[in-house]
Amino acid sequence: TSPFAWLRTRFYYLLIRLYFDQEFSVEEFTRGAKQAFSVVSKLLSQRKLDLLDGLVSAEVLQVLKEKISLLPDSHRDALAADIDSIMYTTEGDVRIYYDDDGRKFVSILMCFWYLNGASLPDEVPGGAKVFQIVFGDESTKEKKHLLTANYEFQREFTEGAKPDWTITRIEHPRLLE
């Protein structure tokens, strides 16, 4: 992350604590985001989209239903991320905004890098190379792919609104396109 982007996100986190939620914690949010990412990615992989209701916005869920049905099994398997296989997590963007009715929202884009053992080709459409990591010696060699995913979490902070974060964007580049 660039120093400017890091400072910008920290400034937004300060605004969130000052004006929306005095108990907001970046560390706690990141822990929850990792758990949500793991659960949602596994449910996507298993095609259990009905269990995503309430976790994922209705608009995103509709798009996912169309995309998941068209995925080959190898790509669908590669969506699943066990929480222990998440190698790195960072914030991509933080936004604070108001809609036309005066409702207040916070949106945080989280970027995840995770290892997955799905059987993927070395190159995927578009000519992009898939990073591979090999564990063990020749007799017990296990190949894993280093994959990325971007999930955007949104919460309404209007008085009386439910205090739940909802996933409003799901991207698994080169897998879920």
Side-chain angles (χ1 to χ4, degrees):
T1 307
S2 75
F4 176 74
W6 185 87
L7 282 172
R8 183 178 175 274
T9 58
R10 293 309 176 260
F11 175 71
Y12 276 110
Y13 289 148
L14 175 65
L15 291 177
I16 292 168
R17 278 194 299 278
L18 290 175
Y19 296 106
F20 298 105
D21 181 0
Q22 288 85 19
E23 297 186 21
F24 179 81
S25 160
V26 178
E27 295 79 16
E28 185 177 323
F29 175 82
T30 301
R31 265 193 307 280
K34 286 171 76 171
Q35 289 175 336
F37 165 61
S38 179
V39 168
V40 169
S41 68
K42 287 178 187 174
L43 290 173
L44 286 174
S45 173
Q46 298 165 359
R47 293 186 180 156
K48 294 182 178 178
L49 302 180
D50 53 324
L51 298 177
L52 295 176
D53 194 30
L55 297 172
V56 176
S57 72
E59 298 83 14
V60 171
L61 200 52
Q62 186 60 39
V63 171
L64 288 172
K65 286 179 181 177
E66 295 168 16
K67 288 184 176 184
I68 293 292
S69 66
L70 302 173
L71 281 182
D73 289 344
S74 61
H75 283 72
R76 198 186 74 234
D77 293 342
L79 296 174
D82 187 57
I83 197 157
D84 295 331
S85 69
I86 300 171
M87 308 287 20
Y88 184 71
T89 305
T90 189
E91 309 92 10
D93 191 24
V94 180
R95 295 183 300 135
I96 297 172
Y97 57 98
Y98 296 81
D99 71 3
D100 293 336
D101 298 325
R103 298 184 312 167
K104 303 180 271 190
F105 294 91
V106 171
S107 179
I108 302 174
L109 178 66
M110 296 297 293
C111 306
F112 303 96
W113 284 261
Y114 65 102
L115 291 174
N116 184 289
S119 177
L120 292 173
D122 290 346
E123 294 201 17
V124 291
K129 186 89 171 134
V130 175
F131 291 99
Q132 298 177 15
I133 300 170
V134 178
F135 296 96
D137 59 19
E138 287 299 317
S139 62
T140 62
K141 190 170 18 175
E142 179 183 7
K143 182 168 63 170
K144 294 206 176 213
H145 299 278
L146 181 61
L147 303 170
T148 62
N150 303 311
Y151 281 45
E152 183 176 62
F153 296 84
Q154 180 187 76
R155 179 177 166 193
E156 182 177 352
F157 280 93
T158 309
E159 191 169 324
K162 290 173 48 177
D164 297 332
W165 289 92
T166 303
I167 298 170
T168 56
R169 181 168 67 176
I170 294 178
E171 297 172 343
H172 284 263
R174 296 184 227 48
L175 295 175
L176 193 60
E177 295 181 340

